[in-house]
Amino acid sequence: MNQKQIIGLGVAAVLLMAVAVFVSQSRKPVQEAPSAGPLAAGLQAQLNALDSVVVRVAGGETITLKRVDSTWIVPEKHAFPADIAKLRELLLNVAQARRIEPKTAVASSYPVLGVQDIDAEGASNVLLQIGSGASAVEVILGQNNSRGVGTFVRLKGEAQSWLVDRNLAAERTAGDWLRRDLLDIAANRITSIKVQPDEGDEVQIQANTEGGEGEFRLAYLPAGRELASAFVVDATAGVLSGLRLDDVQPAAGFTPDEGSETTKASFETREGINLDLEAWTLEGETWARIAVSLDQAAADQRIEGEQAREAMAYEAALKATQLPATDPANAATDGATPADGAAEEAPATTAVEPPEPPLAVSDAAADRAERLNKLQAEVSALQATVDGWVFKLPASKAESLRRSMDAYLKPKA
């Protein structure tokens, strides 16, 4: 074999090896690029069947939201009801979120987006667990996109992180998951208030039926003193309007801290509902126990008055149907003098159907029972909300409640 043949065989061998390597590489599976799509496919169809949601805050609280029958509770807050509207909004946002841009899959880069594991050093993010068992969705909520809408997220156990098409955030304390709305008794339903502050005389407030500024007035104004403002009295009457809680604890076993200032207050509504508050304040925090009852005599008096007014209105409407009404066809001749010898015609009338009597007139007993049942249902609902609990009040409401007499008055001359 000459030299040319040897070289040719060597070249052929190299080419064959190259072909073999190419074929081998071409047969390896191609790794697919991450694709956009739902963050948690199928979650929305499961929402109605969910019975638990857990929020784990890096370096902070673990908050459990649990469904019991038709409501959700916060076990870490003594099983007080949770804010269902807030929970529903979060779950729908996660269920409808879509991955729109793949981000890092390198663990060392996770902290830049806030999608590292919550037990990692320096983490300040949230792990949201929706549901339980094998079907649970666990998503790490990182930082919001600083250049537009969206949040960086990563499903627990997956390397790939994503930017989703909406902002996702979960409340980070158990208190923020409580159903905060407590009472909403409009001030125009209040007829009288009595407040016994920790020190000083009792303050009595009444609805203002004498005109002038403000909806309420002090029942007894000390001699030689003037109100600081008519509206400072209105603020106290508005304590129960839009009242929200800041925190809650069971009334059983509650003991006010030593040195607390005590305030007692009672609010009476025009319908006969009484709301009695006992509040304790220490170091800027006010906790209050609330009791709701129905003054049956006041309720009866209110119902009788309402029925009497409806009866009077019905009588007036009934009389109006019995008055003669001018026929429009004869309107052109109104005021004309009849011709000599012609008989004067009676005024034309049109028939008017009498109004249907209200229940207060047609069946006063049934009407009274209906009104009383509605009132008792409201009382029962209020009692179900407040009985057995002590509530931390917002500072602004507590301040309005705790005012002494001097706080309502201008300084002494």
Side-chain angles (χ1 to χ4, degrees):
M1 183 178 294
N2 59 36
Q3 186 176 2
K4 288 184 179 181
Q5 289 176 322
I6 293 173
I7 294 173
L9 289 172
V11 171
V14 171
L15 290 174
L16 287 172
M17 290 178 62
V19 170
V21 169
F22 174 78
V23 171
S24 174
Q25 292 294 330
S26 66
R27 289 179 177 176
K28 288 184 177 180
V30 178
Q31 185 174 358
E32 295 183 3
S35 60
L39 171 62
L43 176 60
Q44 186 154 1
Q46 301 173 22
L47 292 183
N48 290 335
L50 289 176
D51 60 6
S52 70
V53 173
V54 181
V55 180
R56 293 185 172 88
V57 181
E61 299 183 39
T62 294
I63 307 147
T64 308
L65 305 171
K66 187 174 180 62
R67 187 169 68 175
V68 177
D69 297 328
S70 60
T71 192
W72 286 77
I73 62 170
V74 186
E76 289 82 5
K77 284 296 180 180
H78 317 286
F80 193 80
D83 187 332
I84 296 178
K86 183 179 292 185
L87 177 60
R88 181 184 297 113
E89 180 181 10
L90 174 63
L91 294 178
L92 283 174
N93 268 334
V94 174
Q96 295 172 1
R98 296 187 64 82
R99 305 187 304 259
I100 57 175
E101 184 181 345
K103 308 306 287 187
T104 185
V106 179
S108 60
S109 298
Y110 289 161
V112 177
L113 305 179
V115 294
Q116 69 270 48
D117 289 344
I118 61 169
D119 55 0
E121 184 178 355
S124 60
N125 49 7
V126 168
L127 172 62
L128 179 64
Q129 178 184 318
I130 302 173
S132 56
S135 62
V137 173
E138 295 182 277
V139 57
I140 298 169
L141 304 180
Q143 299 174 10
N144 285 342
N145 181 17
S146 61
R147 299 181 180 180
V149 176
T151 300
F152 300 111
V153 302
R154 183 171 64 87
L155 292 175
K156 184 180 179 183
E158 294 187 5
Q160 184 65 55
S161 62
W162 291 87
L163 174 65
V164 294
D165 64 351
R166 64 196 64 211
N167 293 344
L168 299 177
E171 298 288 2
R172 302 168 71 92
T173 68
D176 287 328
W177 281 106
L178 294 172
R179 186 186 66 197
R180 303 282 297 281
D181 294 333
L182 185 55
L183 298 173
D184 193 15
I185 308 295
N188 62 12
R189 294 179 62 185
I190 304 296
T191 56
S192 67
I193 306 164
K194 294 180 181 179
V195 180
Q196 178 57 62
D198 190 69
E199 295 182 355
D201 297 332
E202 180 182 75
V203 178
Q204 296 187 24
I205 297 172
Q206 295 178 343
N208 187 4
T209 59
E210 301 176 359
E213 291 185 321
E215 300 295 327
F216 292 83
R217 64 181 182 85
L218 289 179
Y220 304 103
L221 193 63
R225 303 293 299 275
E226 295 181 54
L227 275 178
S229 164
F231 304 105
V232 72
V233 186
D234 291 355
T236 301
V239 163
L240 303 181
S241 176
L243 179 61
R244 291 165 60 84
L245 61 90
D246 280 351
D247 205 350
V248 64
Q249 57 180 298
F254 173 81
T255 303
D257 292 330
E258 186 176 351
S260 296
E261 297 180 4
T262 302
T263 303
K264 294 183 178 181
S266 62
F267 293 73
E268 297 180 4
T269 75
R270 61 185 181 223
E271 300 90 355
I273 299 176
N274 293 336
L275 298 101
D276 298 312
L277 285 75
E278 186 171 10
W280 302 272
T281 303
L282 183 66
E283 298 180 354
E285 289 191 359
T286 298
W287 290 82
R289 181 186 289 120
I290 304 172
V292 181
S293 60
L294 180 64
D295 183 333
Q296 190 64 55
D300 289 341
Q301 184 176 3
R302 171 73 179 184
I303 291 172
E304 288 174 5
E306 289 176 340
Q307 288 183 319
R309 284 190 290 274
E310 287 199 16
M312 291 175 62
Y314 172 69
E315 288 296 330
L318 190 61
K319 287 180 179 179
T321 66
Q322 298 170 350
L323 295 175
T326 301
D327 188 337
N330 298 328
T333 62
D334 284 352
T337 302
D340 291 342
E344 185 174 347
E345 296 181 2
T349 61
T350 57
V352 179
E353 289 291 332
E356 287 290 330
L359 190 61
V361 173
S362 62
D363 192 337
D367 178 74
R368 179 186 180 281
E370 184 177 294
R371 294 172 189 266
L372 190 57
N373 287 341
K374 183 178 179 180
L375 191 56
Q376 289 171 335
E378 181 181 7
V379 171
S380 295
L382 292 171
Q383 290 172 336
T385 299
V386 302
D387 284 359
W389 299 100
V390 179
F391 306 98
K392 182 181 176 184
L393 303 183
S396 60
K397 294 289 189 177
E399 181 183 354
S400 296
L401 181 68
R402 297 172 51 239
R403 288 192 179 101
S404 64
M405 178 63 81
D406 277 345
Y408 291 94
L409 307 175
K410 291 182 180 178
K412 293 180 180 179

